[in-house]
Amino acid sequence: MLVMAHLEAAAGRRIKEHARFIADHQDWMHHFQSKLNALTDIIMRCEGGAETRE
């Protein structure tokens, strides 16, 4: 029973680490998407905008 409690505690810590990793990854992807959108807007303005592409 003591071993099982130790294993469950270790698994709980690992799950918390993984959840933090996922949250950090989502934050980074949001940051990256914002930068990509800004770059796309700059390029589109230099090229005359999306309206001129059709």
Side-chain angles (χ1 to χ4, degrees):
M1 198 126 114
L2 182 61
V3 173
M4 188 60 141
H6 176 69
L7 291 174
E8 287 178 2
R13 286 190 304 272
R14 187 71 181 120
I15 289 170
K16 286 180 184 177
E17 289 174 10
H18 184 68
R20 186 67 208 153
F21 172 80
I22 295 295
D24 289 345
H25 178 71
Q26 288 175 339
D27 289 344
W28 169 247
M29 293 308 294
H30 178 71
H31 174 75
F32 184 76
Q33 184 67 41
S34 297
K35 298 281 186 179
L36 187 59
N37 288 342
L39 181 59
T40 302
D41 288 343
I42 291 168
I43 291 171
M44 292 302 287
R45 278 195 306 260
C46 290
E47 296 292 323
E51 300 83 27
T52 61
R53 291 287 174 201
E54 294 178 9

